[in-house]
Every structure is written in structure tokens, then in C-alpha cells.
Amino acid sequence: MIKATIIGNLVSNPELKEIKDKKVCIITIASNRYGKDTPDVLRVEIWGKTAENCNTYLKKGSSVAASGDLSIDLYKKNEDTHVSVKLVNAEVEFMDRKTTQKGGEEE
């Protein structure tokens, strides 16, 4: 298992889904890297009550820190091999100054 942390801003509003009676929130985070002209972008899956809090309190442009397991999948499309990388089972900390909550819960 590979653990990773990304700090950046949401590129779109969170998307809340329900899968087998469990809530999952999908966010996409962009993070700048020194010496690179374009940001790194990573899809992040958050589950449970934290997923609901992320959907409630976050929006496009929100600053967050997300830590979780890095999931790397290979798949074929039109005979080309593609790689899908995402952060799963993530814990999220809200970084915006106006938000004084962690994962939607009082600190």
C-alpha cells in the first residue's frame, strides 16, 4: 500500500454518490509543483460522514489537504494502455481560513 498526501485546491464542486447504502464524495484537487508549468491533478474518494461533510462545506476553489491510499489502475482503451491514479479512503482537512473545522467536525 502506498500512502500519499496532496495539498491544493478543488477544480470543481464535490460530487456526492451513494454506493450500496454508503456515501462517497469525489473531489478533484489541483496542486502546483515547483518547476512545472501545469498543476498536478488528482481525483480523491472520501467515504462515510466525512464524505457528507466535504459535500456540504467544500466548493470549487476550496483549499484542502487530503491523505490516503494511492490507487493505480491500468486499463486498455482502443488498444492503448492507460493509467488511472487516484487517492482512496482519504482523510481531508479543510485549509481555507474561513473554515475552522476539520472534516466538518469541530476541532
Side-chain angles (χ1 to χ4, degrees):
M1 167 180 346
I2 301 171
K3 293 283 190 181
T5 300
I6 185 170
I7 298 172
N9 299 322
L10 271 63
V11 298
S12 59
N13 287 326
E15 180 183 348
L16 187 65
K17 297 180 180 182
E18 190 166 327
I19 300 174
K20 296 184 181 179
D21 297 330
K22 294 186 180 185
K23 304 277 185 176
V24 61
C25 186
I26 308 297
I27 60 175
T28 304
I29 301 173
S31 181
N32 293 323
R33 186 170 13 147
Y34 180 76
K36 189 174 175 197
D37 292 336
T38 57
D40 293 319
V41 178
L42 191 62
R43 186 177 167 104
V44 179
E45 290 181 0
I46 304 113
W47 291 84
K49 182 66 177 168
T50 305
E52 295 176 39
N53 290 335
C54 287
N55 188 60
T56 300
Y57 295 108
L58 298 177
K59 65 182 189 313
K60 181 179 179 178
S62 295
S63 295
V64 296
S67 298
D69 303 323
L70 201 59
S71 171
I72 304 169
D73 297 313
L74 297 175
Y75 65 95
K76 288 206 178 257
K77 183 176 180 181
N78 300 330
E79 302 203 19
D80 291 328
T81 301
H82 297 269
V83 178
S84 170
V85 179
K86 62 185 173 182
L87 203 60
V88 297
N89 302 322
E91 296 177 10
V92 176
E93 184 173 344
F94 301 164
M95 304 290 286
D96 287 330
R97 290 183 188 152
K98 59 187 170 194
T99 304
T100 60
Q101 298 175 336
K102 180 179 179 180
E105 299 171 6
E106 295 283 333
E107 288 187 342

